[in-house]
Amino acid sequence: MKIGKSTVPRTAICTSDEHTIVVRGKNLCDDLIGHLNFADYFFLLLTGQKPDAAASAVLNATLVAIAEHGFVPSVQASRMTYAAAPDALQGAVAAGILGCGSVILGASETAGRLFTDVAARMDAGESLDDAAAGAIRELKAGGRSIPGYGHPLHKANDPRVDRLIAVATEAGADLRYVRIAQAIERAIPGIVGKELRLNVSAAIPAVLLGVGFPVRSLRGVPILARTAGLIAHLAEEAEQPSGFALSYQATRELQYEGEVPEGFLGQA
Amino acid sequence: MKIGKSTVPRTAICTSDEHTIVVRGKNLCDDLIGHLNFADYFFLLLTGQKPDAAASAVLNATLVAIAEHGFVPSVQASRMTYAAAPDALQGAVAAGILGCGSVILGASETAGRLFTDVAARMDAGESLDDAAAGAIRELKAGGRSIPGYGHPLHKANDPRVDRLIAVATEAGADLRYVRIAQAIERAIPGIVGKELRLNVSAAIPAVLLGVGFPVRSLRGVPILARTAGLIAHLAEEAEQPSGFALSYQATRELQYEGEVPEGFLGQA
Amino acid sequence: MKIGKSTVPRTAICTSDEHTIVVRGKNLCDDLIGHLNFADYFFLLLTGQKPDAAASAVLNATLVAIAEHGFVPSVQASRMTYAAAPDALQGAVAAGILGCGSVILGASETAGRLFTDVAARMDAGESLDDAAAGAIRELKAGGRSIPGYGHPLHKANDPRVDRLIAVATEAGADLRYVRIAQAIERAIPGIVGKELRLNVSAAIPAVLLGVGFPVRSLRGVPILARTAGLIAHLAEEAEQPSGFALSYQATRELQYEGEVPEGFLGQA
Amino acid sequence: MKIGKSTVPRTAICTSDEHTIVVRGKNLCDDLIGHLNFADYFFLLLTGQKPDAAASAVLNATLVAIAEHGFVPSVQASRMTYAAAPDALQGAVAAGILGCGSVILGASETAGRLFTDVAARMDAGESLDDAAAGAIRELKAGGRSIPGYGHPLHKANDPRVDRLIAVATEAGADLRYVRIAQAIERAIPGIVGKELRLNVSAAIPAVLLGVGFPVRSLRGVPILARTAGLIAHLAEEAEQPSGFALSYQATRELQYEGEVPEGFLGQA
């Protein structure tokens, strides 16, 4: 059944014959394996270009920054899945990745779109602070939260933010989007009525957009990074299981609020 | 409900307070971000140790080698999923990862277990060639295939194999498992009755086991690597859709072999 | 780490002790197993109420209508995943479900929201035809397509539509949303400029909303139904594999549009 | 790239043209929608045959029995996933299904294979009790657990077991596999050294194998059933969130057992 217009698949990423694998126009074996690190290869796969030194430093730093933060919900979901289905490592990884959605890790993409919106306002002539304030007012008017600002644990300061900005600065990256991110932070109290500090999900696009990382693939950064963390958690789960213990603890204070049949005593 | 023995979850990977995130005993921001590349961090997450130079070179090389090979089945599944559900990038990535199973990418783990089995035979006193032949005979007797040998496209020679071995050699890695992998390749024709050359799924454990990568996490290497490739494919899919075209092409020669009701004409 | 306001999980669906399982206030073993069919139980799980005869007839009919339609993209994705990872049936089912997204099967929910929007306009005093036209004009002004209208194969008439309406009529269901769906069909040519006939994704909410099925769970109907179809396809795949054949066919006309290194010959 | 022998996909499940959808040789609209319930259609999809009255009663009963049992690990994983990614209902359902693995719900398949093994021993001339004891001794010798026996909550008696057997008996189903399941239960104490009572995962194949349900699709029963339960939980989650509360509770007693850098104070 034909769905959509094109019936011929097309790609510019990879082709191969019996002797050669071509990726983004390069010979995989001669030009790439052993010549660049994995994060740089990710950049090449996405953009068709090898990253320069600044882009390499910044992309590696963001992937390291976001890969792991303990027993977050997606890690718990993944470990519970592995406990129930230990034969399928790939299934437990997939379950964890499915939690990289709009509320938690997807903020790196929505924050990135906020920054490019501010940049477009500046290109149209607004000052940095006016553009930042305008974008926040628009979010507030639409009843939406500011993506990438505020953190449930790191309230005063997400320590990854300053470190990522320092890495970008040392690497000589274009800091335009860092300045935009900071301008938004300054503008928030006056418009939203409380301080919300930059968190790692906003710092990631703030540093990456300046080195040519495409805004449309920003969500790929936490997805790829967390995959590494999930594989480590599942290796630990295989040796020292926590999945069922997490599930047990999670429901110790569960409150059942529905009806019960006559005579039902419950788990007292 | 309590399932299993322990009711308290435990971990040695990560802890944090408001100001500091600790990963494998290091301060994430002071010691790790900006100080090591993403693949090295993956090694640290998995093992608790930073990789040495050889391990870093070899792990990065294997991740680059296996990340991308065109429109393989898992990439097709992922692109079709994205075409149908473009709002959920994480869902399309998960669909692709779910194809990293025993038949396709899981061979890197089963090949690794084959190599550690041969190594154990050698530790027990067998020669390299006897140990290799013994392990293959055992697989053959059990009716199992030799994981990591033979490739549907790269029949004479998978070009990634020589390149990975060259990288490991140049990096000064322990080549014990490379020699085991090659001994198996030599032994196959006499036992199996045909040549089956080392493919990339065997080359990966052959070089990684020599630099301290844990055998139990070998399947994590293609999973992490393919995640990078999938994210690139989905970025291309978002700009130039192929998912439905793949689906259309896939069924052009579909044969329906069931019954039909009287009068049904079909799609002719 | 605390995310969100509540720290205590709550539910009204199920509780149990050692002797009794309570679902929606009923004793699962005494009151439910053997007393109602599976689709009716799904209705009870969702709403807390047993369906009446009309709701039972209509819900069963919609699940039967949407469960299976051959090698659609999600079935292909699922079969390819199973071919690559046959040890994990649940993984291949999950890969198929991940294709129940906004473009393909999710239309049953968005169509349902369109119908409740028209109903709200009627409650506010508009006539059926004015309300239908108003809702379509709004979609068109926003550049959005009309969810649930038009089908790539069943162009003149999706045969499931008339049959679902006939079942609902025979069962004595409230047909209000059917009339709304038909009014939209009539209004489309004048506003959109071409005929787009009701398809099964619109017929499902058209009949279900009249029997008390909650609009917010409409996407659950194709998800549950397709799960049954996927399990059947994977049983066939285990006996007569098509997954890799689909993948092979899909790329026979693949066009590579990127660069190649000097001397690369390609697969000619 | 060609993988495997066949390059032409084949199916006997469904075909269609513009006017007619054929499923298992029947006209979907004329013969099926409105003529059989959803579970019966699942049976037809799987086997190509409509179920008789006993098979219909038993299959519906098993699906009702296993669909829901509160906040089990897979429900928790699904609700946490939905909390993090509420835009993708299908992703949260998929995450829950990925927990239908070998340890938890997959036991219905492995128990079914145990029962067909006992039946084969009986066909070869062994008595019921000898065949049951022989099969258990073989499992014990291999260091494997008895699939479908023992339950962490319902220790003395899983109430679903007697009810499923009663439904099968009332429906006039062949009870051969029920007798096998009960013989295994009787044989366990003498061989394993403790009582392990039949649980629902063994009762499901015990009743289903007698009505012609294929052993190879037994794992599909809990997968399909739990999909219904998951959709209900996610509807509740959308209205009254528990996902993040579960995650918070789960880690209240989490013990970090790794090293910390000098000066790290922790969350005290």
Side-chain angles (χ1 to χ4, degrees), chain C residues 7 11-12 18 33 236 249, chain D residues 7 11-12 33 154 163 236 249:
Chain C
T7 58
T11 186
E18 191 179 338
I33 298 174
E236 188 182 64
Q249 294 287 343
Chain D
T7 58
T11 187
I33 298 174
H154 307 294
R163 181 65 188 133
E236 188 182 64
Q249 294 286 342

Side-chain angles (χ1 to χ4, degrees), chain B residues 29-55:
Chain B
C29 295
D30 293 352
D31 304 332
L32 300 173
I33 298 174
H35 294 293
L36 80 185
N37 68 48
F38 176 53
D40 291 359
Y41 187 55
F42 177 49
F43 191 99
L44 173 69
L45 283 167
L46 275 175
T47 67
Q49 304 296 324
K50 287 192 193 179
D52 60 20

Side-chain angles (χ1 to χ4, degrees), chain A residues 3 7 10-12 18 29 33 38 60 90 97 153-154 163 216 219 236 239-240 242 244 249, chain B residues 3 7 10-12 18 29 33 38 60 90 97 153-154 163 216 219 236 239-240 242 244 249:
Chain A
I3 308 173
T7 58
R10 294 162 204 278
T11 187
E18 192 180 337
C29 295
I33 298 175
F38 176 53
N60 274 287
Q90 75 276 14
I97 286 172
L153 171 62
H154 306 296
R163 182 64 188 133
R216 120 205 116 206
R219 195 187 283 198
E236 188 182 65
E239 302 241 313
Q240 180 175 290
S242 283
F244 289 141
Q249 293 286 343
Chain B
I3 309 173
T7 58
R10 294 162 205 280
T11 187
E18 193 180 336
C29 295
I33 298 174
F38 176 53
N60 274 287
Q90 74 276 16
I97 286 173
L153 171 63
H154 307 295
R163 182 64 188 134
R216 126 207 110 205
R219 195 186 285 198
E236 188 182 65
E239 303 241 313
Q240 179 174 291
S242 283
F244 290 141
Q249 293 286 342

Side-chain angles (χ1 to χ4, degrees), chain A residues 186-205:
Chain A
R186 286 194 305 273
I188 285 175
I191 298 169
V192 177
K194 60 179 170 181
E195 282 211 335
L196 288 172
R197 308 296 305 271
L198 261 168
N199 68 34
V200 70
S201 287
I204 286 172

Side-chain angles (χ1 to χ4, degrees), chain A residues 146-171:
Chain A
I146 320 292
Y149 289 81
H151 193 282
L153 171 62
H154 306 296
K155 288 179 214 288
N157 195 22
D158 183 331
R160 294 165 291 188
V161 173
D162 288 350
R163 182 64 188 133
L164 285 175
I165 295 173
V167 168
T169 306
E170 285 159 28

Side-chain angles (χ1 to χ4, degrees), chain D residues 66-245:
Chain D
I66 196 67
E68 174 57 29
H69 198 302
F71 277 45
V72 295
S74 59
V75 166
Q76 294 186 33
S78 180
R79 292 184 77 135
M80 287 182 194
T81 302
Y82 187 80
D87 303 335
L89 178 67
Q90 74 276 16
V93 173
I97 285 173
L98 287 168
C100 295
S102 52
V103 170
I104 302 275
L105 293 166
S108 54
E109 180 182 331
T110 40
R113 295 194 187 280
L114 171 62
F115 300 161
T116 56
D117 173 33
V118 173
R121 287 167 186 261
M122 292 169 69
D123 291 343
E126 289 187 48
S127 74
L128 172 60
D129 287 325
D130 285 356
I136 300 169
R137 274 196 209 96
E138 199 173 298
L139 282 176
K140 204 194 162 200
R144 282 172 290 162
S145 60
I146 320 292
Y149 290 81
H151 194 281
L153 171 63
H154 307 294
K155 288 180 213 291
N157 196 22
D158 182 332
R160 295 165 290 187
V161 172
D162 288 349
R163 181 65 188 133
L164 284 176
I165 295 173
V167 168
T169 307
E170 285 158 29
D174 179 339
L175 300 178
R176 181 185 195 196
Y177 296 93
V178 171
R179 287 189 292 270
I180 289 173
Q182 292 168 330
I184 290 172
E185 190 181 55
R186 287 194 304 273
I188 284 175
I191 298 169
V192 177
K194 60 178 170 183
E195 283 213 335
L196 288 171
R197 308 296 305 270
L198 261 168
N199 68 35
V200 70
S201 286
I204 286 172
V207 298
L208 277 176
L209 291 173
V211 296
F213 193 93
V215 66
R216 122 205 115 207
S217 293
L218 281 167
R219 194 186 284 199
V221 171
I223 289 176
L224 179 61
R226 284 292 157 102
T227 302
L230 289 166
I231 294 165
H233 275 283
L234 296 172
E236 188 182 64
E237 179 73 22
E239 303 241 312
Q240 180 175 289
S242 283
F244 289 142

Side-chain angles (χ1 to χ4, degrees), chain C residues 11-103:
Chain C
T11 186
I13 296 176
C14 178
T15 190
S16 56
D17 64 15
E18 191 179 338
H19 306 292
T20 307
I21 299 165
V22 175
V23 177
R24 290 295 190 184
K26 317 270 185 238
N27 183 316
L28 172 63
C29 295
D30 293 352
D31 304 332
L32 300 173
I33 298 174
H35 295 292
L36 80 185
N37 68 48
F38 175 53
D40 291 0
Y41 187 54
F42 177 49
F43 190 99
L44 173 68
L45 283 167
L46 275 175
T47 65
Q49 305 295 326
K50 286 193 193 179
D52 60 21
S56 173
V58 168
L59 178 55
N60 274 287
T62 56
L63 288 163
V64 171
I66 197 66
E68 173 58 28
H69 198 300
F71 277 43
V72 294
S74 60
V75 165
Q76 294 186 33
S78 180
R79 292 184 78 136
M80 287 183 194
T81 302
Y82 187 81
D87 304 335
L89 178 65
Q90 74 276 16
V93 174
I97 286 172
L98 288 168
C100 295
S102 51
V103 170

Side-chain angles (χ1 to χ4, degrees), chain C residues 5 26 94 97 113 122 147 169 218 238 258:
Chain C
K5 285 171 195 166
K26 317 270 185 238
I97 286 172
R113 294 195 187 280
M122 292 170 69
T169 306
L218 280 168

